[in-house]
Amino acid sequence: VNGIEIYNMKIDSKVTSRFAHNVITSRAVNRGQVSKEVFFDVELPKTAFITNFSMTIDGVTYPGTIKEKEAAKKQYEKAVSRGQTAGLVKASGRKTEKFTVSVNVKAASKVTFELTYEELLKRRFGKYEMFIKVKPKQLVKDFEIEVNIFEPQGITELEAEGTFITNELQNVIKKTVSEKKGCISFKPTLAQQRTCANCSQSALDGDLTVRYDVKRVTPDNLQIVNGYFVHFFAPTNLPKLPKNVIFVMDNSGSMSGKAIQQTKEALLKILDDIKEDDFFNFVLFNTDVSTWKETLVKATPENLDEARMFVRNIGVAGMTNLHGGLMKGIDILNAAHKGNLVPKRSASVIIMLTDGHPNQGVSDIQTIERDVKNAIDGRYPLYNLGFGYGVDYGFLEKMALENKGLARQIYPDSDAALQLQGFYDEVSNPMLTDVELNYPENEISDLTTNSFKHFYDGSEIVVAGRFVDSNQNHLTVDVRGEGANDALSYTTQQDAEQMAQAFQEQEYIFGEYIERLWAYLTIEQLLEKRIAATGEEKENLTAEALALSLKYKFVTPLTSMVVTKPEEDDSEDMIADKPTRVLSMYLKNLLSKPGMCVVYAKLLLIVNLISIEPSFITKSCRQSSQTYRGPVPQPTWFTSVDGDPHFIISVPQKKDAICFNINENPGTVLNLINDPVTGITVSGELIGDKRANSDAKIQNSYFGKFGIANKHLDLKLTVTPEKITVQNGNEKTGFTWLDSVTLQQEGLTLIINRKKNLMLSMGSGASFVVVLHQVWKKHPLHQDFLGLYTLEEDKLSEQTHGLLGQFFHPIDFTILEVHPGSDPKKPDATMIVKNNELIVTRGWQKDYRMDPNHGIDIPCWFVHDNGAGLIDGVHTDYIVSSLF
């Protein structure tokens, strides 16, 4: 492709006792006559930690080094200043994160990329699952996937399936299984990779999933190697415990349409699976809280039929009283236990689903967390399901973890009902409650979590630890739990000599695998505990997880991998970071926290999420709670001015946005930011299309020139799509967008990234990034234009004003009397804002972050007449005679 041939690609996976060590190797050659950029682009499971990366060019190897994030800060900022996106790991799907790196390779030269990552395979529905993304993007002469598995307990049910596997490719997957070893290999020829006989397109595009289980003669398996142990606990053939389930469901206005339809579809299927020994109930919350029954009821055929009718009739309206709904559900469950309405030997769970933020009743998140934790008091787990991207996932996850449960993202796709049902299936068959695995305290240190509220059928409990005496070779474990009929209690023993015999016949154990498994599990659990922790406890958990991440060379949310790659005259650093959630959610959550404007804006710049139309990313950092929630898709949060220009003012805590247009002629200069304290001003001059559009009543306009000044320092910067001029007093310096420049002088830092953007810092005030948007030179209508991003606007004073600057301060509004408008799809309403009563329309504006070409429609309340009543004064007050 484009003169770059990938001639070899191998994915080599070694699995020992559920712990997978994966190496992806890609070899490419530049067949062209000139130097070319070669990309290494792979997708990894989100549960995996990258442990190593290197690239070898003409026999010289450039390794990656894993450092603490702070220690990598200089390389990070250097990468930002160069506008580099390479080397970032970012979320790319439900299960995967994308790792991308690129390097310039001379004509006829070869490059080898090698990436290593590790993960502990989880057991779900009775099988371990390993997920491999297969997407070479071109035909590869030598392509191979090989998965070797070694399990001391013995292997059963080894299988592999691929979403891209056709009938022709089915026979290419080779599977071999012996007692303790299993192997899956996939090595298609060039002809087999083609989509058709004469096609040059690769058919290898999709997911390969390997599943297997182990033989279980005893309920558990204990392994000891070199001073570390791992204990796998998954008893079979136990009688199922009756369960008591409270479904707490959000039926506020924003759940209208497909969301509530899919939720109801899932609930109806779940009702088909509920067993007659189970007890259940439904709690609904919107502005108010309602229940199906006053108490838990047994799942008799009659009650199930009545419940189905109830579910079918669930409607949506109003706001989100999440606190009231959850507390009601907990009260019902507590009362059922206290009144002995449910069997003593049973497992209780609360499953809560919401698509938004609490904005009715108790809406303070910390108060909700405290009340829920006190009410549950450790008696049963809380599972929180966040539907869509409008939820505060961090809040849901923290609350679930504080109550021995977990949170799960439900993606708003066509299979959302299946996602909901799939989650329920995982927790629908409790076998034991209050499981404890006890180890001799004087023999073991650094033990991972060893007590579990529930054990579910088809899952597995894993505990690992380190011996105080690294030479110890035996261990006795006491296991206790409560089953359907009686208490479970037994003792298991193991010694290292037995393990050594079990390992003798296998050939591919990698290094100190149990020690690395212990480190992986410990880091994973420390990071999880850190979510719910505060203060000194959080600091200690962070320090411990960081130390382990560095020692075992894992890229975790606390570490970064720095990759130094060769350049003609200088070296260039790239950063690989582990994202914490789906990127859009991560950015959205950042926006909901005070003081995170800087990070958000920098992140946008680095990953180039915005690449069309002049845009301002500013964000109001301090907002009050929401007072309206209509039946519309939920926006993601940002404040911008795009296109004509369209202003969009995000109000994150209200989970909503306000938008307005400024319609003015080309040549008009608008005052955007004016801070009399720091002396910083920003103005923008509008340009139009090359010719008027005869079909449009209002002509398009864009920003074609920016003037940024610091009056106190007598500094001025003028930016157009052609050139950049710096004026310091009477001295002028000029650059073009073809230059790569780093300019530092007293009070000024200017970095120009060739043909991309510039970063400007003036004095101690805010920093700015101007982005160049270039269009096709022969375009009949449009011309090049600019976008502006404000970083660190918290450094501007409270007196900051301007068409944009006024929205750096808090803004609040109330929506009343929503009623049909002239367009049936866009209701009108009354907005109370700044003591003004405005007629506003529910509309949509484009968010170009995720889809740079077409944009994504996000809903907002549209203020008519150039923002009259929303902006201070009238829009003509912001017209100035010149940029400075």
Side-chain angles (χ1 to χ4, degrees), residues 676-709:
V677 176
T678 64
I680 288 178
T681 63
V682 181
S683 298
E685 182 177 326
L686 298 178
I687 58 172
D689 285 329
K690 292 176 182 176
R691 57 179 176 79
N693 183 351
S694 57
D695 297 330
K697 291 181 182 177
I698 298 172
Q699 300 300 315
N700 288 330
S701 55
Y702 311 92
F703 282 106
K705 187 184 288 187
F706 285 121
I708 305 171

Short mmCIF file of all heavy atoms in Angstrom, two decimals, residues 676-709:
data_model
loop_
_atom_site.label_atom_id
_atom_site.label_comp_id
_atom_site.label_asym_id
_atom_site.label_seq_id
_atom_site.Cartn_x
_atom_site.Cartn_y
_atom_site.Cartn_z
N PRO A 676 -9.06 42.60 31.20
CA PRO A 676 -8.33 43.83 31.56
C PRO A 676 -7.25 43.59 32.62
O PRO A 676 -6.31 44.37 32.73
CB PRO A 676 -9.43 44.76 32.10
CG PRO A 676 -10.54 43.83 32.52
CD PRO A 676 -10.48 42.66 31.59
N VAL A 677 -7.36 42.52 33.39
CA VAL A 677 -6.39 42.26 34.46
C VAL A 677 -5.08 41.73 33.89
O VAL A 677 -3.99 42.24 34.18
CB VAL A 677 -6.97 41.29 35.51
CG1 VAL A 677 -5.91 40.95 36.56
CG2 VAL A 677 -8.20 41.90 36.17
N THR A 678 -5.15 40.68 33.06
CA THR A 678 -3.92 40.11 32.47
C THR A 678 -3.50 40.87 31.22
O THR A 678 -2.38 40.71 30.74
CB THR A 678 -4.12 38.63 32.09
OG1 THR A 678 -5.13 38.55 31.07
CG2 THR A 678 -4.53 37.81 33.29
N GLY A 679 -4.42 41.70 30.67
CA GLY A 679 -4.11 42.45 29.46
C GLY A 679 -4.26 41.65 28.18
O GLY A 679 -3.91 42.13 27.10
N ILE A 680 -4.80 40.45 28.27
CA ILE A 680 -4.93 39.58 27.09
C ILE A 680 -6.23 39.88 26.35
O ILE A 680 -7.30 39.96 26.96
CB ILE A 680 -4.85 38.10 27.49
CG1 ILE A 680 -3.41 37.75 27.89
CG2 ILE A 680 -5.33 37.18 26.37
CD1 ILE A 680 -3.21 36.34 28.36
N THR A 681 -6.13 40.03 25.03
CA THR A 681 -7.32 40.18 24.19
C THR A 681 -7.20 39.24 22.99
O THR A 681 -6.09 38.98 22.51
CB THR A 681 -7.48 41.62 23.67
OG1 THR A 681 -6.37 41.94 22.83
CG2 THR A 681 -7.58 42.62 24.80
N VAL A 682 -8.34 38.75 22.53
CA VAL A 682 -8.39 37.93 21.32
C VAL A 682 -9.56 38.43 20.47
O VAL A 682 -10.68 38.57 20.96
CB VAL A 682 -8.61 36.43 21.63
CG1 VAL A 682 -8.64 35.62 20.33
CG2 VAL A 682 -7.52 35.90 22.57
N SER A 683 -9.27 38.71 19.21
CA SER A 683 -10.32 39.11 18.27
C SER A 683 -10.19 38.27 17.01
O SER A 683 -9.11 37.75 16.70
CB SER A 683 -10.20 40.59 17.91
OG SER A 683 -10.38 41.38 19.07
N GLY A 684 -11.29 38.14 16.29
CA GLY A 684 -11.28 37.35 15.06
C GLY A 684 -12.01 38.07 13.94
O GLY A 684 -13.06 38.67 14.16
N GLU A 685 -11.42 38.03 12.74
CA GLU A 685 -12.03 38.66 11.58
C GLU A 685 -12.68 37.60 10.70
O GLU A 685 -12.07 36.57 10.40
CB GLU A 685 -10.98 39.43 10.78
CG GLU A 685 -11.58 40.16 9.56
CD GLU A 685 -10.54 40.98 8.82
OE1 GLU A 685 -9.62 41.53 9.48
OE2 GLU A 685 -10.63 41.06 7.57
N LEU A 686 -13.92 37.88 10.29
CA LEU A 686 -14.66 36.92 9.47
C LEU A 686 -14.28 37.03 8.00
O LEU A 686 -14.01 38.12 7.49
CB LEU A 686 -16.17 37.16 9.61
CG LEU A 686 -16.76 36.99 11.02
CD1 LEU A 686 -18.25 37.31 11.00
CD2 LEU A 686 -16.55 35.58 11.54
N ILE A 687 -14.26 35.89 7.32
CA ILE A 687 -14.15 35.85 5.87
C ILE A 687 -15.34 35.06 5.35
O ILE A 687 -15.98 34.32 6.10
CB ILE A 687 -12.83 35.19 5.40
CG1 ILE A 687 -12.72 33.76 5.96
CG2 ILE A 687 -11.64 36.02 5.77
CD1 ILE A 687 -11.55 32.97 5.38
N GLY A 688 -15.64 35.23 4.07
CA GLY A 688 -16.76 34.50 3.49
C GLY A 688 -16.27 33.46 2.49
O GLY A 688 -15.08 33.21 2.36
N ASP A 689 -17.21 32.86 1.78
CA ASP A 689 -16.84 31.96 0.71
C ASP A 689 -16.29 32.76 -0.47
O ASP A 689 -16.41 33.99 -0.52
CB ASP A 689 -18.06 31.15 0.26
CG ASP A 689 -18.41 30.06 1.26
OD1 ASP A 689 -17.49 29.55 1.92
OD2 ASP A 689 -19.61 29.72 1.38
N LYS A 690 -15.70 32.05 -1.44
CA LYS A 690 -15.11 32.72 -2.60
C LYS A 690 -16.15 33.50 -3.40
O LYS A 690 -15.87 34.52 -4.00
CB LYS A 690 -14.41 31.70 -3.49
CG LYS A 690 -13.17 31.07 -2.84
CD LYS A 690 -12.57 30.00 -3.73
CE LYS A 690 -11.36 29.35 -3.07
NZ LYS A 690 -10.83 28.23 -3.88
N ARG A 691 -17.36 32.99 -3.39
CA ARG A 691 -18.45 33.70 -4.07
C ARG A 691 -19.72 33.46 -3.27
O ARG A 691 -19.83 32.50 -2.51
CB ARG A 691 -18.63 33.19 -5.51
CG ARG A 691 -18.87 31.72 -5.62
CD ARG A 691 -19.06 31.28 -7.06
NE ARG A 691 -19.20 29.82 -7.17
CZ ARG A 691 -20.32 29.16 -6.91
NH1 ARG A 691 -21.41 29.82 -6.52
NH2 ARG A 691 -20.37 27.84 -7.04
N ALA A 692 -20.69 34.34 -3.45
CA ALA A 692 -21.94 34.22 -2.70
C ALA A 692 -22.73 33.00 -3.18
O ALA A 692 -22.71 32.66 -4.37
CB ALA A 692 -22.78 35.49 -2.88
N ASN A 693 -23.38 32.35 -2.26
CA ASN A 693 -24.24 31.21 -2.57
C ASN A 693 -25.65 31.74 -2.81
O ASN A 693 -26.34 32.17 -1.89
CB ASN A 693 -24.22 30.22 -1.40
CG ASN A 693 -25.04 28.97 -1.69
OD1 ASN A 693 -25.75 28.90 -2.70
ND2 ASN A 693 -24.94 27.99 -0.82
N SER A 694 -26.07 31.72 -4.07
CA SER A 694 -27.36 32.34 -4.44
C SER A 694 -28.55 31.64 -3.80
O SER A 694 -29.63 32.21 -3.67
CB SER A 694 -27.51 32.34 -5.97
OG SER A 694 -27.40 31.00 -6.47
N ASP A 695 -28.35 30.37 -3.37
CA ASP A 695 -29.47 29.62 -2.77
C ASP A 695 -29.65 29.93 -1.29
O ASP A 695 -30.65 29.54 -0.70
CB ASP A 695 -29.24 28.11 -2.94
CG ASP A 695 -29.22 27.70 -4.41
OD1 ASP A 695 -29.90 28.38 -5.20
OD2 ASP A 695 -28.51 26.72 -4.75
N ALA A 696 -28.67 30.57 -0.66
CA ALA A 696 -28.72 30.76 0.79
C ALA A 696 -29.15 32.18 1.14
O ALA A 696 -28.67 33.14 0.56
CB ALA A 696 -27.35 30.47 1.40
N LYS A 697 -30.08 32.29 2.11
CA LYS A 697 -30.49 33.60 2.59
C LYS A 697 -29.36 34.26 3.38
O LYS A 697 -29.13 35.45 3.30
CB LYS A 697 -31.73 33.47 3.49
CG LYS A 697 -32.99 33.05 2.75
CD LYS A 697 -34.16 32.97 3.72
CE LYS A 697 -35.43 32.49 3.00
NZ LYS A 697 -36.56 32.35 3.93
N ILE A 698 -28.68 33.43 4.19
CA ILE A 698 -27.56 33.92 4.99
C ILE A 698 -26.29 33.26 4.49
O ILE A 698 -26.23 32.05 4.36
CB ILE A 698 -27.79 33.59 6.49
CG1 ILE A 698 -29.06 34.28 6.99
CG2 ILE A 698 -26.59 34.02 7.32
CD1 ILE A 698 -29.48 33.87 8.38
N GLN A 699 -25.28 34.07 4.18
CA GLN A 699 -24.05 33.52 3.60
C GLN A 699 -23.15 32.93 4.68
O GLN A 699 -23.15 33.39 5.83
CB GLN A 699 -23.29 34.63 2.85
CG GLN A 699 -24.10 35.25 1.71
CD GLN A 699 -24.49 34.23 0.65
OE1 GLN A 699 -23.67 33.42 0.24
NE2 GLN A 699 -25.75 34.26 0.23
N ASN A 700 -22.37 31.91 4.31
CA ASN A 700 -21.40 31.31 5.24
C ASN A 700 -20.31 32.31 5.59
O ASN A 700 -19.94 33.15 4.77
CB ASN A 700 -20.72 30.09 4.60
CG ASN A 700 -21.68 28.92 4.50
OD1 ASN A 700 -22.58 28.78 5.32
ND2 ASN A 700 -21.47 28.08 3.51
N SER A 701 -19.81 32.21 6.81
CA SER A 701 -18.65 33.01 7.20
C SER A 701 -17.77 32.17 8.11
O SER A 701 -18.25 31.26 8.79
CB SER A 701 -19.08 34.31 7.89
OG SER A 701 -19.91 34.04 8.99
N TYR A 702 -16.48 32.46 8.10
CA TYR A 702 -15.49 31.71 8.87
C TYR A 702 -14.50 32.70 9.45
O TYR A 702 -14.48 33.87 9.09
CB TYR A 702 -14.73 30.73 7.96
CG TYR A 702 -15.61 29.89 7.07
CD1 TYR A 702 -15.94 30.33 5.78
CD2 TYR A 702 -16.12 28.68 7.51
CE1 TYR A 702 -16.75 29.57 4.96
CE2 TYR A 702 -16.94 27.91 6.70
CZ TYR A 702 -17.25 28.36 5.42
OH TYR A 702 -18.06 27.59 4.63
N PHE A 703 -13.65 32.21 10.35
CA PHE A 703 -12.59 33.07 10.85
C PHE A 703 -11.37 32.94 9.95
O PHE A 703 -10.81 31.85 9.79
CB PHE A 703 -12.23 32.72 12.29
CG PHE A 703 -13.22 33.26 13.27
CD1 PHE A 703 -14.14 32.44 13.90
CD2 PHE A 703 -13.26 34.62 13.55
CE1 PHE A 703 -15.06 32.94 14.77
CE2 PHE A 703 -14.19 35.14 14.43
CZ PHE A 703 -15.10 34.30 15.05
N GLY A 704 -10.96 34.07 9.37
CA GLY A 704 -9.81 34.07 8.47
C GLY A 704 -8.60 34.78 9.05
O GLY A 704 -7.53 34.79 8.45
N LYS A 705 -8.78 35.40 10.22
CA LYS A 705 -7.65 36.11 10.83
C LYS A 705 -7.91 36.24 12.32
O LYS A 705 -9.03 36.52 12.75
CB LYS A 705 -7.50 37.50 10.20
CG LYS A 705 -6.26 38.27 10.65
CD LYS A 705 -6.22 39.69 10.07
CE LYS A 705 -5.92 39.68 8.57
NZ LYS A 705 -5.71 41.07 8.06
N PHE A 706 -6.86 35.99 13.12
CA PHE A 706 -6.95 36.18 14.57
C PHE A 706 -5.89 37.18 15.00
O PHE A 706 -4.76 37.19 14.48
CB PHE A 706 -6.71 34.88 15.33
CG PHE A 706 -7.86 33.92 15.28
CD1 PHE A 706 -7.70 32.65 14.76
CD2 PHE A 706 -9.11 34.28 15.77
CE1 PHE A 706 -8.75 31.75 14.70
CE2 PHE A 706 -10.18 33.39 15.72
CZ PHE A 706 -10.00 32.13 15.19
N GLY A 707 -6.26 38.01 15.96
CA GLY A 707 -5.32 38.91 16.61
C GLY A 707 -5.30 38.60 18.10
O GLY A 707 -6.32 38.70 18.77
N ILE A 708 -4.15 38.18 18.62
CA ILE A 708 -4.00 37.84 20.03
C ILE A 708 -2.95 38.78 20.61
O ILE A 708 -1.84 38.89 20.08
CB ILE A 708 -3.54 36.37 20.20
CG1 ILE A 708 -4.52 35.43 19.47
CG2 ILE A 708 -3.45 36.01 21.67
CD1 ILE A 708 -4.05 33.98 19.40
N ALA A 709 -3.29 39.46 21.70
CA ALA A 709 -2.39 40.47 22.22
C ALA A 709 -2.30 40.39 23.73
O ALA A 709 -3.22 39.94 24.41
CB ALA A 709 -2.86 41.87 21.81
#
